[in-house]
Amino acid sequence: MSHIADTCGQTAKNLFTPLKKKDEKEGSSVRYQELDEDRNEVRTDFGSLGAVGRDVAGFTVDQAVDRLGFGKFQVKLSLLTGIAWMADAMEMMILSILSPALHCYWGITSYEQAMITTVVFCGMILSSTMWGNICDRYGRKTELVLCTLFTFIFGSASALAPSFHWLLILRGLTGFGIGGAPQSVTLYAEFLPSAQRAKCVVLMESFWVMGAVFEALLALVVMETLGWRWLLAISSLPLLIFAICCVWLPESPRYDVARGRPDLAYATLQRVALDNGVQMPAGKLIESTSVDDSRRGRVAELFIPELRRTTLLVWFIWCTNAFTYYGLVLFTTQMYQSSDLCHGGSDAPVDVSHSLECHILTREDYMDILWTTLSEFPGLLITAGVIERIGRKRTMAMEFGVFSCFLFLLFFCLRRKFVTLFIFIARAFISGGFQAAYVYTPEVYPTTLRAIGLGAASGFARIGAIVTPFVAQVASDTSVYIPIAIYGAAGLFGVIASLLLPIETKGRSMKDTHH
């Protein structure tokens, strides 16, 4: 029997020796799938042959992130990316405060006031895809630092604008930088375990609301004493703070693995494990299928057969979200300024020359802006509460549907308090739908296309934001029922598009490639 055992052992050694030599040349691992359940495998680790039954299987970045969980590292990352989100919200919120001040300072027309908002969104459209391409090619951290510094430079320079036309140019360039802000969500989502990803991304969006609220409070203090130039300068400071804090910001391990640097990804994961007080998974980090650098971050890759339908529907959803969200904000002001008593208007006599007067926003105006912005918090909480229960697609569809229902209720003649209530509910749900889209989009695209997918979707959102003033402000001059009908119908189309999405990402691992 001993002779038979020795013979079998020598035979096995002769069989495995060629595999070992071949593996030493290729630097890869040899696995036997049928033995995985018993963990009996023969593998190599940087060229050395492991013993049968002793080595543990490797792990992916996805498995490591889930194993390391949500801890101290994610809390610090939440605060840091939250600062970036607050800073960009302040740069956007200032648009509604700046126009009245410039009307008094330079005597600009209502058309020129509208241009202040238009040039910012135009800059965002032009840059969204470019920033996504940089993010996928050169890294999430690199892109965030560049776009933040770009936004800070031109945002603060706007305070020194010598004329209105120079201000338009500088605000347009500020918008160009803001177009890269959504990529902070890309980086943040790639460090979150799948069980907490949706809720964390939605709750991080609360930093946007906090930024908008802080800008309203800042305007309340600064505008009456120091003026609009100081408001612009002070509002850009959080961007500088974020850029400085980026020294701590790590690169995404998913991105490092996708570009063929698993050593850097492993080091980042070790850093997460140390912060969270959790042990790293045993074994070797498994690399994903390598992808040609020329194919990473390309818009054309969003239209491969597996992603074409998803991409088109995601773009439509983002465009509809921005069209209805920003439209409702503008339309609310139009209704309250009208003489239509059925839609929150006033029965006070209208002064025809009022549009030519210099009207500075009052303390009451700033408080109204503040309360309107606070109405978005319930939408965030509702989204966070249901998105893991009913899924991403149904959450977006539900929120579009509720928005449409409360918009259509405005067809009836109502008291002002009911008009206000219905508008606040509609705004809460459409803002929540926006946050659900921010959860779904990074999840549905692979690491190699995640940033360009989010950037392109963000670009289409800006198209909706540019078009919506013509509905909310121009069409409402003819009849307030026109915007109500258009926005309500847009919400219904959003319901259909959400349900038609071919992929539900609830509980789905974030993929590294689309192959």
Side-chain angles (χ1 to χ4, degrees):
M1 293 295 292
S2 175
H3 176 69
I4 294 175
D6 291 341
T7 302
C8 290
Q10 183 62 39
T11 302
K13 180 178 181 181
N14 293 336
L15 287 173
F16 287 130
T17 298
L19 294 176
K20 176 180 179 181
K21 291 180 179 179
K22 181 179 178 181
D23 191 58
E24 289 175 343
K25 293 181 180 180
E26 298 179 358
S28 60
S29 61
V30 181
R31 294 179 55 119
Y32 294 88
Q33 188 67 33
E34 68 276 7
L35 300 179
D36 275 355
E37 294 182 0
D38 297 325
R39 303 182 74 84
N40 293 326
E41 64 175 355
V42 179
R43 64 185 292 275
T44 63
D45 193 4
F46 300 101
S48 62
L49 184 67
V52 178
R54 287 205 305 260
D55 285 345
V56 295
F59 60 91
T60 64
V61 173
D62 215 51
Q63 292 170 335
V65 171
D66 281 342
R67 167 72 180 274
L68 300 177
F70 188 97
K72 182 180 177 182
F73 177 88
Q74 282 77 14
V75 171
K76 292 191 292 185
L77 186 62
S78 299
L79 295 175
L80 183 55
T81 52
I83 292 174
W85 217 225
M86 285 182 65
D88 288 305
M90 292 171 66
E91 290 293 336
M92 294 301 298
M93 185 65 183
I94 204 172
L95 296 174
S96 62
I97 300 169
L98 197 59
S99 296
L102 295 181
H103 173 59
C104 297
Y105 191 80
W106 278 317
I108 61 176
T109 64
S110 58
Y111 172 78
E112 288 172 326
Q113 291 182 56
M115 286 299 296
I116 298 172
T117 301
T118 300
V119 295
V120 173
F121 283 117
C122 286
M124 295 172 75
I125 287 178
L126 293 175
S127 68
S128 293
T129 303
M130 183 204 75
W131 289 122
N133 185 280
I134 291 175
C135 201
D136 281 329
R137 283 178 174 269
Y138 304 105
R140 282 68 166 125
K141 179 177 179 177
T142 300
E143 185 273 343
L144 283 175
V145 173
L146 288 176
C147 80
T148 300
L149 288 175
F150 195 97
T151 306
F152 167 72
I153 291 170
F154 291 104
S156 56
S158 300
L160 304 175
S163 66
F164 173 71
H165 292 97
W166 267 108
L167 182 70
L168 285 183
I169 294 172
L170 293 171
R171 295 311 295 177
L173 291 171
T174 303
F176 194 91
I178 295 175
Q183 302 306 337
S184 60
V185 178
T186 300
L187 176 65
Y188 183 61
E190 290 181 339
F191 277 102
L192 295 174
S194 56
Q196 288 87 24
R197 188 186 305 134
K199 290 183 180 180
C200 289
V201 171
V202 170
L203 291 176
M204 196 194 78
E205 298 299 326
S206 63
F207 282 98
W208 178 277
V209 183
M210 286 189 285
V213 170
F214 182 74
E215 184 65 29
L217 292 173
L218 186 64
L220 184 63
V221 175
V222 174
M223 288 295 287
E224 294 183 357
T225 55
L226 300 175
W228 63 271
R229 292 187 184 274
W230 278 99
L231 182 65
L232 282 172
I234 297 173
S235 298
S236 65
L237 290 179
L239 291 165
L240 181 61
I241 295 173
F242 173 75
I244 295 173
C245 292
C246 278
V247 174
W248 174 87
L249 190 69
E251 183 54 86
S252 165
R254 297 179 190 276
Y255 167 77
D256 283 331
V257 167
R259 67 173 176 143
R261 293 299 306 272
D263 54 324
L264 296 179
Y266 191 87
T268 302
L269 291 172
Q270 283 183 313
R271 177 179 168 185
V272 177
L274 182 63
D275 274 1
N276 289 357
V278 181
Q279 288 187 345
M280 281 283 291
K284 177 184 176 182
L285 180 61
I286 299 173
E287 299 182 43
S288 59
T289 305
S290 60
V291 178
D292 186 0
D293 282 347
S294 64
R295 298 183 63 184
R296 281 196 285 121
R298 288 178 53 193
V299 176
E301 293 295 304
L302 300 176
F303 291 93
I304 61 173
E306 299 91 335
L307 294 174
R308 185 184 301 118
R309 180 180 170 187
T310 298
T311 295
L312 293 175
L313 287 171
V314 164
W315 285 2
F316 178 82
I317 288 170
W318 276 72
C319 184
T320 304
N321 254 318
F323 175 75
T324 50
Y325 172 78
Y326 290 111
L328 182 59
V329 173
L330 296 173
F331 183 50
T332 301
T333 304
Q334 290 295 115
M335 284 195 296
Y336 288 160
Q337 290 179 339
S338 72
S339 58
D340 188 346
L341 296 178
C342 287
H343 296 93
S346 172
D347 59 355
V350 178
D351 184 355
V352 178
S353 65
H354 180 70
S355 59
L356 302 177
E357 295 177 354
C358 174
H359 175 65
I360 298 293
L361 290 176
T362 65
R363 181 173 296 270
E364 184 180 0
D365 293 328
Y366 289 124
M367 290 304 299
D368 287 342
I369 293 173
L370 177 62
W371 287 116
T372 302
T373 306
L374 286 172
S375 69
E376 296 184 22
F377 276 114
L380 293 174
L381 296 175
I382 292 171
T383 303
V386 303
I387 196 167
E388 287 293 358
R389 296 185 180 184
I390 65 176
R392 283 60 162 152
K393 293 166 53 177
R394 291 181 180 178
T395 297
M396 288 188 286
M398 179 270 292
E399 292 184 309
F400 272 124
V402 174
F403 166 80
S404 290
C405 288
F406 281 91
L407 251 293
F408 286 135
L409 286 175
L410 295 178
F411 271 114
F412 299 98
C413 186
L414 303 166
R415 293 182 179 181
R416 180 169 178 137
K417 62 180 180 180
F418 289 109
V419 171
T420 302
L421 176 62
F422 293 163
I423 290 174
F424 273 33
I425 294 175
R427 180 167 175 177
F429 276 90
I430 198 59
S431 65
F434 225 146
Q435 313 321 320
Y438 265 108
V439 173
Y440 180 84
T441 305
E443 288 182 336
V444 78
Y445 288 112
T447 302
T448 52
L449 298 174
R450 186 165 297 128
I452 191 66
L454 184 62
S458 179
F460 266 81
R462 310 314 165 193
I463 294 176
I466 286 176
V467 172
T468 201
F470 296 97
V471 176
Q473 296 174 314
V474 178
S476 61
D477 287 341
T478 302
S479 173
V480 294
Y481 293 104
I482 296 176
I484 293 173
I486 292 176
Y487 290 133
L492 294 180
F493 282 119
V495 173
I496 296 171
S498 300
L499 295 177
L500 288 177
L501 286 167
I503 301 172
E504 171 56 68
T505 61
K506 174 189 174 184
R508 178 176 180 258
S509 298
M510 297 182 81
K511 298 182 180 297
D512 289 328
T513 70
H514 51 268
H515 300 291

